[in-house]
Structure formats: C-alpha cells, structure tokens
Amino acid sequence: MQQKKVVIVGGGTAAWMTANLFAHKWQKLNVEITVIEAPDIATIGVGEGSTPYLRSFFKQLGIKESDWMPACNATYKCGIKFVNWSSRPGFSSYFHPFNSDADSAYNRKFEHNTWLKRQGYDVDVQPDDFYMMAALAKQQKLPIKFNKSASDSEGINAYDNPHHNIYAYHFDSALLGQYLKQHAQTQLQVNYCSAKIIDIKQQTNGDIKSVFTDTQQELSADLFVDCTGFSSLLIQKSLNVPFISFANNLFNDSAVAVSTPHSHNAASYTPQTVSTAMSCGWRWQIPLQSRNGNGYVYSSTYQSSESAEQELRQSLKLTDDTEVKHLKMRVGRLDKHWQNNCLAIGLSQGFIEPLEATALHLVQDSIERFLDVYDFNPNLEQEEQRDHFNELTNYGFERVRDYIVLHYIMNSKDQSAYWQNGAQLKDISTELAHLLGVWFNGQDLREELAILNLDQYYGSTSWHALLAGYGVFPDSYKGEPDKRTINFTLADEARQYYARLTEQYPPAKINP
Ligand SMILES: Cc1cc2nc3c(=O)[nH]c(=O)nc-3n(C[C@H](O)[C@H](O)[C@H](O)COP(=O)(O)OP(=O)(O)OC[C@H]3O[C@@H](n4cnc5c(N)ncnc54)[C@H](O)[C@@H]3O)c2cc1C
C-alpha cells in the first residue's frame, strides 16, 4: 500500500489512546501517524477513574499491569460507593459493583428480592450484601489474587482470578498520558510534534487538506483526528458539525478538583471510588498509590464557583493555602463524530459528567468501532460505514446519559432547588421512561433490558443496584413474606457466602 498519513491533533489521554490503538492495528500497513500537541494549551488534567473496559485496552497492546500501574500510581477499583444520594430511611448509601462469576450464586436472587419488594413484601434489597466486589471493597481487599508461578503469557499481570472478577482502575491522569506517549513513540513509532494548529485548509468536498502550525509547518494527511478537548477545533470549528447539549437533563457544568495526601499512617486503601452527594452536585474521592484525588462536580446555575470551592474545602478540611483547580465542562455530544476525513475522539466529541467514570470508556469504544470499519482506500465509498459508526456512537452516548440521568431523577433529597428540579425532570428519553415503567409496574427489568438491547453499557446489575440502592419501590406494603409460599433470600446468607469467598483475597496495600 502507498504510504498513508494520519494526523492526530491534541496531546491528552484521548490522543495517546488513539495513537497507540491506531499504530498497533495498522502496524503491518504503511501508515505514518503524527501527534501534534500545543505546548501552551494544557490537558484537562483530571479523569482518574475507569470502567473495566480499560483492561482490554492494555491487554491488546500487550502492556502488563505490573508495568503501567506502578508508573501511573494506579490502584484497583471494585466499583463505586454512592453516599447520601437517597434520603429514604435505610438507603443512605449503596455500592455499584462490577460483576464477578461468583455473583451468579446471588445476583438473580437479589434481583428476585427487588421484584418481591416491588410487589410489596419486606425483603432484603441492599445491593452491598449480594455482590462479591462490594464485599471485597468493604474489607479493603484486592479484586485479584497474585500468583507468582502463573504464566505471564496473557500480556497482563500473572494472576489467579478464580472467580473471573471484573474490575477497573484508578490512576494519575497526567502520568497515564506520559506513559502512553512514551509507549506510542518508543514501541509503535508514532511521530510527535510540539506545535499549535493555527489554521486548517479544506478541499472543495469539505475534507481537511492540511493543518498549519505556529511553527510554520503545513501537515497534510489522509485522515485527521480531532483530540483537541472541549475546543473541538477541527470537527466543530472547521467542519461545523453541530453539538447537541445534554444541559436540559444533566445540570452539572463545572468542577473544582484538589489532591490530598493519604492519612498519616494509612497502609491500605479502599478499592472503590466514593461519590458523595453535595448541596448542588456530588464529590468524588479516588485513592491512588501516591495520594487521593478529590473533586466537586456541580451546576453553576445553582451554585457559584466560590461557594462550591468553600463547600469542598470544608468537607475535606483543607488548609487555606491548599490550591484547588476550577474547570468548566461542556456536556453533550456531537451530531456526528466522523465527518469527511475527520474523526473526533475524547472531549472534542462529547462528554457526559464523570459520575460513572465513562469518558475513557467512550473514547476506547469509539476508536475500536472506527478501526473495525475504516478503510484507507480513497476509491471506496464509506458513507454507509460512516453513518452506521455515527449512529452507534450516538447510541452509546445516549445510553450512558440515561443511566446518569437516573441518578438524578430518582433522588429523594428535597434539600434544595437543584435536587428538587433533578427529581422533577420531564425531559428524559423514551427508553429511560419505558424502563422506569417496567420497574414500577413490577415487571422483569432484566428481561426488558435484554429484549430492547439496552444493557450494552449498563447491564441488569447496574440498574437493579441503583434503583434498589436508592430504595425506590412502589408504595404497596404487604408485610413480611411467608417463607413457605414466597421464595426470598436473606442478606445474611449472601453475606456469609461472600465472607467465605473473600478470605482468599489479599489486602489492598499502599506501597511504601
Ligand atoms: C471534572 C472531570 C472529571 C473527569 N473524570 C473522569 C473519570 O473519572 N474517568 C474518565 O474516564 N474520564 C474523566 N474525565 C474525562 C477525561 O478527563 C477526559 O476524557 C480525558 O482526559 C481525555 O481528554 P482529551 O484528551 O479529550 O482532552 P484534553 O485533555 O483537554 O487534551 C486536549 C489536547 O488538545 C491540545 N490542543 C488543543 N488545541 C490545540 C491546537 N490548536 N493545536 C494543537 N493542540 C491543541 C492540548 O494541548 C491538549 O493536549 C473527567 C473530566 C472532567 C472535566
């Protein structure tokens, strides 16, 4: 094949994930990949939690956990603990777990309990009791068992994963960017250019012909990737692709972030993200090996940046000289993520507030979907592939959005206009409205998610954990069930089962 050129504009995590996956996939083709990053435009500098999907990113690149995790001060993540999102008595917190094979013993029983509760029976419905990952997090244990004698051939850490646990990571986002940059340059021959794009030249058919840098270079390419963050320089500012805001059902548009040290004698960490509801948003706490990452995501319509900073400072007991970082967020998605010869990846293509740490998941999802269908052949008409790619990518953004919206419309905190307006949202998708109808009408939510193919981004466990974890049930109390006639499961039974299983797992240690 005649040499093909790809120019990636941007130097954040999205750009380096794209560069690595492109270069890896096209290793045997004659493709030159160049990343151009403006030295004076900083990366967003936050984004420290992942979903389990990121494991497959490292695995396909052959990068071992034992290599990248120490380099990025990374820790393991069993799920997310939600605190104070519901004011229903007995439901002040719950754990949103990643699944494990071991859950098969109690997963369906838990869902059946939630069904009984929806019929009006008083049974145990706290998700924390029914999932392996919740049990591990509570005990500050790792979701894996290291096994030094095991083979390392998988390309990831040699470990003994007897229950096929699905877990995710926390990491220092700046260090991850540096790690991926170095890997792309040294292992995959990706070129790097430190310069700012100041102009873009288009062909008459709308394709981008070349980009101009402030160092007087002109770079032409067959394919351009816009990884310029919220500025969306190529796809929006040049190709004029419209942006569809989600502001009407996701109010948060700002954040204030700060790092804090581990407490003085801490020898272990809890392998979970904690998300605590605040007066006009929520606060994250992420444990890294080197420190904790914290931030308050809020709506500037309801709270000023000064007041949000003050609230964060108070909740973390920060000293006055601790520096915090304020950020603005553009929440929504592009109408099209691939237009002409330009693909947008990362914050440039859209962003859903980071409540479930899904941004890099959508980045990886978009890159892999693109690699499945893209062809460098200029004579090949790719209109159909492009439309299909855009349709599926939009579908992903909307399904993730629906699940995030669910956290707000189901809240029962009437402490402020922010929470009240969230609970009264009328502008929700037909899919979300339908699923809520299924829940409240006492139907089978798992079955409906599968039939409508709505479980690709958030499966049955996630939906049941959230709704039951908030204590959202129809008001039709029938009293205690009768064990002879109604089959239900006691939380104690599940707790004992997981207590036995988790005995084998090691503590989540902070490295000295
Ligand atoms: C508050 C907050 C919390 C988040 N938490 C999470 C999380 O827990 N999990 C998660 O997955 N994601 C999270 N994210 C999202 C995550 O931070 C981003 O998805 C990720 O960092 C990728 O960003 P990016 O590379 O698209 O953009 P950026 O990091 O903004 O990078 C943009 C790049 O473009 C370059 N650039 C811009 N203009 C030009 C130009 N003219 N010429 C050349 N280069 C240019 C800049 O120099 C920079 O390198 C969070 C985001 C926010 C705001």
Side-chain angles (χ1 to χ4, degrees), residues 9-15 36-39 41-50 171 195-198 227-231 233 255 284 286 297 327-329 345-348 351 354 357-361 363:
V9 184
T13 319
I36 308 175
E37 178 187 20
I41 305 178
T43 58
I44 191 92
V46 281
E48 302 191 326
S50 83
F171 42 81
K196 184 175 174 177
I197 300 303
I198 50 169
C227 293
T228 58
F230 286 134
S231 68
L233 185 69
W284 78 79
I286 285 182
V297 173
L327 300 141
K328 291 307 266 183
M329 309 185 306
I345 297 288
L347 298 175
S348 63
F351 181 57
T358 41
L360 295 183
H361 185 122
V363 163

Side-chain angles (χ1 to χ4, degrees), residues 242-510:
F243 184 79
I244 296 163
S245 170
F246 289 164
N248 49 353
N249 46 29
L250 288 174
F251 302 158
N252 297 338
D253 60 0
S254 308
V256 48
V258 67
S259 299
T260 52
H262 285 303
S263 58
H264 188 48
N265 291 323
S268 53
Y269 67 91
T270 307
Q272 65 185 13
T273 299
V274 180
S275 161
T276 307
M278 303 276 274
S279 68
C280 299
W282 57 276
R283 167 166 81 84
W284 78 79
Q285 279 171 289
I286 285 182
L288 303 186
Q289 282 292 347
S290 50
R291 59 172 171 80
N292 291 307
N294 311 272
Y296 176 17
V297 173
Y298 64 97
S299 165
S300 64
T301 308
Y302 295 85
Q303 190 172 28
S304 68
S305 56
E306 295 80 15
S307 160
E309 179 179 331
Q310 196 52 30
E311 196 175 334
L312 181 68
R313 283 183 177 283
Q314 272 169 9
S315 53
L316 293 172
K317 299 187 178 54
L318 298 180
T319 55
D320 287 349
D321 58 350
T322 309
E323 275 191 33
V324 300
K325 180 175 175 177
H326 286 272
L327 300 141
K328 291 307 266 183
M329 309 185 306
R330 184 186 66 152
V331 175
R333 63 164 174 82
L334 291 173
D335 183 33
K336 290 177 179 164
H337 309 257
W338 175 9
Q339 169 83 22
N340 291 84
N341 62 342
C342 179
L343 172 72
I345 297 288
L347 298 175
S348 63
Q349 72 179 127
F351 181 57
I352 296 164
E353 64 148 277
L355 186 56
E356 294 275 352
T358 41
L360 295 183
H361 185 122
L362 290 170
V363 163
Q364 186 183 340
D365 198 30
S366 302
I367 300 168
E368 290 175 4
R369 182 175 299 125
F370 180 79
L371 283 170
D372 279 346
V373 296
Y374 184 72
D375 197 309
F376 277 106
N377 184 349
N379 302 320
L380 199 72
E381 189 45 71
Q382 295 197 66
E383 204 56 39
E384 209 176 298
Q385 285 87 335
R386 210 165 18 225
D387 288 350
H388 193 52
F389 171 88
N390 286 324
E391 196 182 310
L392 291 182
T393 308
N394 285 337
Y395 183 82
F397 267 82
E398 305 219 330
R399 296 294 73 80
V400 172
R401 184 221 33 215
D402 284 353
Y403 188 69
I404 303 297
V405 167
L406 186 65
H407 295 74
Y408 293 99
I409 52 172
M410 285 299 122
N411 95 80
S412 51
K413 300 159 72 65
D414 52 7
Q415 70 191 63
S416 66
Y418 171 86
W419 289 104
Q420 284 167 10
N421 291 346
Q424 285 159 18
L425 264 180
K426 294 282 176 285
D427 187 4
I428 61 172
S429 72
T430 46
E431 289 87 350
L432 180 54
H434 174 72
L435 292 174
L436 286 173
V438 168
W439 179 262
F440 284 110
N441 291 328
Q443 293 163 273
D444 187 335
L445 186 59
R446 171 179 283 270
E447 192 179 78
E448 201 64 12
L449 283 161
I451 290 171
L452 297 176
N453 204 14
L454 292 173
D455 54 0
Q456 288 173 43
Y457 288 86
Y458 287 98
S460 184
T461 296
S462 298
W463 288 83
H464 281 87
L466 195 161
L467 289 162
Y470 270 46
V472 174
F473 295 100
D475 207 6
S476 53
Y477 186 65
K478 284 194 191 139
E480 296 285 330
D482 177 348
K483 203 155 192 186
R484 288 163 307 179
T485 52
I486 294 171
N487 188 11
F488 65 97
T489 308
L490 291 170
D492 254 355
E493 184 191 319
R495 270 197 298 265
Q496 282 168 25
Y497 168 78
Y498 289 117
R500 279 196 305 279
L501 283 189
T502 53
E503 269 172 17
Q504 314 158 23
Y505 286 80
K509 285 190 189 147
I510 294 174

Side-chain angles (χ1 to χ4, degrees), residues 3 6 8 16 19 31-36 184-185 188-193:
Q3 191 184 50
V6 177
I8 300 172
W16 290 113
V31 182
E32 182 192 75
I33 300 175
T34 304
V35 172
I36 308 175
Q185 290 183 271
L188 294 163
Q189 289 72 52
V190 170
N191 301 323
Y192 175 68
C193 171

